[in-house]
Amino acid sequence: LEINKARLRGEIDYDDDLQDLDGLGSLFDNYVVDMDDDETTSMEAIKQENKITVDDFLATFKGNMVRIDPSELPQNQPSDIELMELLENYGMGYYGAFSSIGELTATTMKLLEPYYSESYRNREEHQAEVSSFVTFRVLEGFIDHYDMSFALHCTSSIERLTRGYEIMRHHQQLLKKLAEKVSQELRDCGEECTDLW
């Protein structure tokens, strides 16, 4: 840091004799300084020392496959429907269970009224802003942390509302597929089936 500060002040040039103590400077030059005995070795000599065969190179990747947990492989990941089955109440939160987003937006705007000036509340975008955040509050039982992070970082209410709509639509499609799956299981099981109720 001190060398960099001195360089920025114009006190030293890179042409000055600077000692490369960490070896990083040698990465961009045609020689390497050996830390132990200060011998300078050419890059060609180092390349000769570090040569490995193709089989040795490929063996390094095959060795890594042993350390990978098979459950982490993409083909062993649960499907979206299986993940939704694991969620409490299939991802349907209680916040929006009994009211529409419009009703929740109106209520939230009344609750937030003391915190915003009248001129700010009278803007055309204010209702869209509140509605977009209410939408993600309704979806909090289903969305992952990436979607929530998007909602908090996004500055456009329209983009937040559009993304919320896409997530709701996807959730609706998953719920329909799950209902079809359970219906098929009921049909296959017949009257003897009691564990699905």
Side-chain angles (χ1 to χ4, degrees), residues 85-126:
E85 286 177 329
L86 298 175
L87 295 174
E88 181 183 345
N89 203 19
Y90 302 112
M92 301 295 289
Y94 295 109
Y95 182 75
F98 304 111
S99 300
S100 69
I101 291 178
E103 292 169 344
L104 291 170
T105 300
T107 303
T108 304
M109 288 176 71
K110 287 178 187 172
L111 290 172
L112 294 176
E113 192 172 312
Y115 301 101
Y116 294 104
S117 68
E118 187 174 341
S119 62
Y120 189 84
R121 285 178 288 155
N122 290 335
R123 293 178 312 124
E124 187 176 333
E125 303 89 26
H126 183 65

Side-chain angles (χ1 to χ4, degrees), residues 100-172:
S100 69
I101 291 178
E103 292 169 344
L104 291 170
T105 300
T107 303
T108 304
M109 288 176 71
K110 287 178 187 172
L111 290 172
L112 294 176
E113 192 172 312
Y115 301 101
Y116 294 104
S117 68
E118 187 174 341
S119 62
Y120 189 84
R121 285 178 288 155
N122 290 335
R123 293 178 312 124
E124 187 176 333
E125 303 89 26
H126 183 65
Q127 184 174 358
E129 289 171 358
V130 174
S131 181
S132 65
F133 284 112
V134 166
T135 300
F136 275 87
R137 176 74 168 89
V138 168
L139 292 170
E140 74 180 347
F142 180 70
I143 60 174
D144 57 15
H145 60 279
Y146 297 112
D147 290 323
M148 188 58 79
S149 176
F150 166 80
L152 295 174
H153 285 95
C154 181
T155 57
S156 170
S157 301
I158 299 300
E159 286 181 32
R160 270 193 308 273
L161 284 168
T162 303
R163 181 68 183 134
Y165 172 76
E166 291 169 356
I167 294 169
M168 285 183 179
R169 192 78 178 120
H170 177 65
H171 191 220
Q172 178 191 25

Side-chain angles (χ1 to χ4, degrees), residues 58-69:
L58 293 176
T60 60
F61 294 105
K62 290 178 184 170
N64 286 339
M65 287 302 290
V66 175
R67 290 183 284 243
I68 293 176
D69 185 10

Side-chain angles (χ1 to χ4, degrees), residues 10-41:
E11 296 175 2
I12 61 169
D13 278 337
Y14 278 122
D15 296 329
D16 294 348
D17 280 338
L18 297 176
Q19 192 175 12
D20 187 12
L21 298 176
D22 58 3
L24 291 176
S26 63
L27 294 175
F28 306 104
D29 210 343
N30 59 358
Y31 63 90
V32 174
V33 176
D34 190 356
M35 300 290 208
D36 297 332
D37 55 5
D38 293 335
E39 290 180 8
T40 303
T41 311

